[in-house]
């Protein structure tokens, strides 16, 4: 595991464009940055326990949707017993000085990184309208969109809020520049 010099902790609703924003950051920063996914570790663990196709659980497929609620329940159970469980697993995969943790779902995820790596974290919320999210394939689902894994950080005090409605003038590029500038400063210092 590489000791990070900058960590971007990203949160947002399903289909808001968290991965898209993270990918744009990596494009700007190049080989010093990498994305880490807490949900990847949940899916890996769930696939191992139930002898499922891990690669299919990573996709945006009906296969994943069959197991989504059960994976949420596993993730909540593990986090209730050990709030840093998936954070440690993801961090163990890191090999670059800038980590972009794309799918923080609970305040304990943020607390873990901020306590383990003080003064190295920027907490970012990516937002998109429900109309835009629906165009990207989102449909509200009870037991998914109304539980802590989706709503637990709705009122968190974000360092940066990014609007990702794919519209000219939504400020996306300005926020990208702000986040990349923050990382660049951290890497210099």
């Amino acid at each position: 595991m590489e000791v990070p010099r900058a960590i971007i902790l990203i949160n947002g609703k399903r289909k808001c464009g968290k991965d898209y924003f993270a990918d744009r950051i990596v494009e700007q920063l190049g080989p010093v940055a990498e994305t880490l996914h807490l949900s990847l570790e949940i899916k890996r663990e769930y696939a191992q326990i139930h002898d499922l196709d891990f690669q299919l659980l990573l996709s945006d497929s009906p296969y994943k949707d069959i197991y989504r609620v059960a994976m949420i329940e596993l993730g909540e159970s593990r986090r209730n017993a050990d709030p840093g469980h998936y954070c440690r697993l993801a961090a163990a995969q890191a090999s670059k000085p800038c980590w972009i943790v794309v799918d923080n779902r609970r305040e304990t995820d943020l607390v873990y990184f901020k306590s383990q790596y003080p003064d190295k974290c920027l907490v970012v919320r990516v937002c998109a309208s429900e109309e835009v999210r629906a165009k990207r394939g989102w449909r509200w689902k009870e037991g998914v969109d109304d539980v802590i894994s989706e709503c637990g950080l709705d009122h968190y005090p974000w360092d940066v809020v990014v609007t990702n409605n794919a519209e000219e003038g939504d400020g996306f590029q300005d926020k990208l520049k702000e986040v990349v500038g923050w990382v660049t400063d951290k890497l210099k210092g």
Side-chain angles (χ1 to χ4, degrees), residues 9-20:
L9 301 169
I10 297 177
N11 171 266
K13 302 286 187 184
R14 293 188 305 128
K15 300 293 185 180
C16 71
K18 298 178 297 290
D19 287 302
Y20 179 80

Side-chain angles (χ1 to χ4, degrees), residues 131-149:
E131 179 183 338
V132 168
R133 292 169 56 217
K135 288 178 184 175
R136 295 174 182 161
W138 173 78
R139 300 291 176 265
W140 192 89
K141 183 173 181 178
E142 188 174 347
V144 174
D145 292 301
D146 57 352
V147 297
I148 193 169
S149 64

Side-chain angles (χ1 to χ4, degrees), residues 80-113:
N80 287 336
D82 176 4
H85 177 73
Y86 295 112
C87 300
R88 282 191 305 280
L89 291 174
Q93 304 301 315
S95 63
K96 299 186 179 184
C98 175
W99 302 354
I100 304 165
V101 185
V102 177
D103 51 2
N104 300 276
R105 294 290 183 181
R106 293 177 69 173
E107 191 168 344
T108 55
D109 298 338
L110 304 178
V111 167
Y112 174 84
F113 286 107

Side-chain angles (χ1 to χ4, degrees), residues 10 15 39 52 54-55 125 131 146 158 165:
I10 297 177
K15 300 293 185 180
S39 63
L52 298 173
F54 174 59
Q55 293 303 316
R125 173 76 164 207
E131 179 183 338
D146 57 352
W158 308 102
N165 285 327

Side-chain angles (χ1 to χ4, degrees), residues 7-87:
I7 304 173
I8 302 166
L9 301 169
I10 297 177
N11 171 266
K13 302 286 187 184
R14 293 188 305 128
K15 300 293 185 180
C16 71
K18 298 178 297 290
D19 287 302
Y20 179 80
F21 187 67
D23 290 346
R24 302 299 74 78
I25 296 167
V26 171
E27 282 176 4
Q28 296 276 321
L29 292 171
V32 300
E34 65 187 320
T35 56
L36 304 175
H37 291 84
L38 303 180
S39 63
L40 182 138
E41 300 306 329
I42 295 168
K43 291 168 188 166
R44 183 188 327 271
E45 187 172 67
Y46 190 83
Q48 289 171 346
I49 291 168
H50 298 284
D51 195 29
L52 298 173
D53 187 324
F54 174 59
Q55 293 303 316
L56 278 175
L57 289 179
L58 293 177
S59 69
D60 273 339
S61 68
Y63 183 82
K64 179 172 80 174
D65 286 336
I66 293 168
Y67 303 105
R68 184 183 299 276
V69 171
M71 287 189 292
I72 289 170
E73 290 169 354
L74 172 68
E76 291 303 309
S77 171
R78 291 282 193 263
R79 284 176 166 132
N80 287 336
D82 176 4
H85 177 73
Y86 295 112
C87 300

Side-chain angles (χ1 to χ4, degrees), residues 10-13 15-18 20-22 24 123-133 136 158-179:
I10 297 177
N11 171 266
K13 302 286 187 184
K15 300 293 185 180
C16 71
K18 298 178 297 290
Y20 179 80
F21 187 67
R24 302 299 74 78
V123 186
V124 176
R125 173 76 164 207
V126 177
C127 302
S129 70
E130 286 190 3
E131 179 183 338
V132 168
R133 292 169 56 217
R136 295 174 182 161
W158 308 102
D159 297 322
V160 177
V161 176
V162 178
T163 301
N164 183 23
N165 285 327
E167 297 172 350
E168 193 70 32
D170 68 5
F172 182 89
Q173 293 299 325
D174 293 335
K175 295 299 183 175
L176 176 61
K177 188 180 207 179
E178 178 183 344
V179 171

